[in-house]
Amino acid sequence: MPALDLKKRFGSLYKPSAKVPVLVDVPTLRFLMVDGEGDIGGPTYQDAVQAIYGLAYPVKFEAKKRLDLAYPVMPLEGLYHDPAGEHEFSPEMRDRLAYTLMIVLPDEVSSEFVDEVRAKVAAKKDLARLADVRVQSFTEGPSVQIMHVGPYATEPATIARMLAFADERGYDFTGEHHEIYLGDPRRGNPDKLKTVLRYGVTKR
């Protein structure tokens, strides 16, 4: 079976322009998901990151070996919202945000297959949140997105551009704050860090 080029298939969703926001229609996708709350970047958040990556890569390797299915592990994504109901997002809220971390899972990989691989991983590694990782479909639909280049602390200015873009076209933000991580903040120059920012929108 030929390799699944997921990055090419979903290129418009994972490599938008950094110059201007764009309106996209995000289809229903399947993900590995794990939830958490508060202390973004702290120990509990890192446990969630380790669990989802700790399952995503073994699933990929097992799929190639047992299903003759080759595909890349897609970037880590995060949906964030304030449990108190505040819709505005800023990095200063990171100690109280609820989140869902996600990695795209090909349709060809069943939930049962993921559970089989999870059992093998659990027998070898002690990952605190491994049992909490689930397979779930997510439909984002019409959305505004842009590539944010720079540290996470400078996201509010980019979000303001997205809000203005949506408002000019008669849309309101209704989705959660969505980040797709194309770089590692622990490596390289933070000013060149690339993060896709996305919000689901509804026509007024």
Side-chain angles (χ1 to χ4, degrees), residues 159-176:
I159 295 171
R161 292 168 59 198
M162 298 170 70
L163 277 166
F165 174 90
D167 184 62
E168 289 171 0
R169 288 155 181 79
Y171 288 93
D172 292 321
F173 279 12
T174 52
E176 296 179 77

Side-chain angles (χ1 to χ4, degrees), residues 77-97:
E77 310 184 29
L79 298 174
Y80 300 90
H81 72 273
D82 184 352
E86 293 293 328
H87 186 67
E88 295 298 324
F89 174 86
S90 69
E92 290 75 22
M93 299 164 60
R94 61 190 294 122
D95 62 342
R96 68 173 190 268
L97 290 173

Side-chain angles (χ1 to χ4, degrees), residues 61-163:
F61 297 140
E62 285 289 309
K64 184 175 182 179
K65 181 168 61 175
R66 293 169 50 191
L67 305 179
D68 193 26
L69 178 68
Y71 65 90
V73 171
M74 293 291 281
L76 180 69
E77 310 184 29
L79 298 174
Y80 300 90
H81 72 273
D82 184 352
E86 293 293 328
H87 186 67
E88 295 298 324
F89 174 86
S90 69
E92 290 75 22
M93 299 164 60
R94 61 190 294 122
D95 62 342
R96 68 173 190 268
L97 290 173
Y99 56 83
T100 299
L101 299 181
M102 317 189 297
I103 295 177
V104 168
L105 183 70
D107 292 339
E108 292 83 353
V109 179
S110 70
S111 298
E112 292 77 14
F113 186 86
V114 171
D115 287 338
E116 291 174 11
V117 176
R118 185 202 314 271
K120 291 185 177 181
V121 173
K124 297 179 180 179
K125 296 182 179 181
D126 182 18
L127 296 174
R129 300 293 310 281
L130 181 63
D132 300 327
V133 181
R134 66 187 183 278
V135 176
Q136 183 175 324
S137 296
F138 175 56
T139 306
E140 206 158 13
S143 302
V144 170
Q145 68 176 23
I146 193 171
M147 182 75 76
H148 172 74
V149 180
Y152 302 133
T154 62
E155 284 184 7
T158 302
I159 295 171
R161 292 168 59 198
M162 298 170 70
L163 277 166

Side-chain angles (χ1 to χ4, degrees), residues 159-200:
I159 295 171
R161 292 168 59 198
M162 298 170 70
L163 277 166
F165 174 90
D167 184 62
E168 289 171 0
R169 288 155 181 79
Y171 288 93
D172 292 321
F173 279 12
T174 52
E176 296 179 77
H177 177 80
H178 189 168
E179 298 186 349
I180 302 172
Y181 305 106
L182 303 184
D184 187 338
R186 299 169 299 180
R187 302 174 183 176
N189 185 346
D191 291 335
K192 296 182 179 180
L193 187 64
K194 293 183 178 181
T195 309
V196 178
L197 300 183
R198 184 187 298 158
Y199 281 91

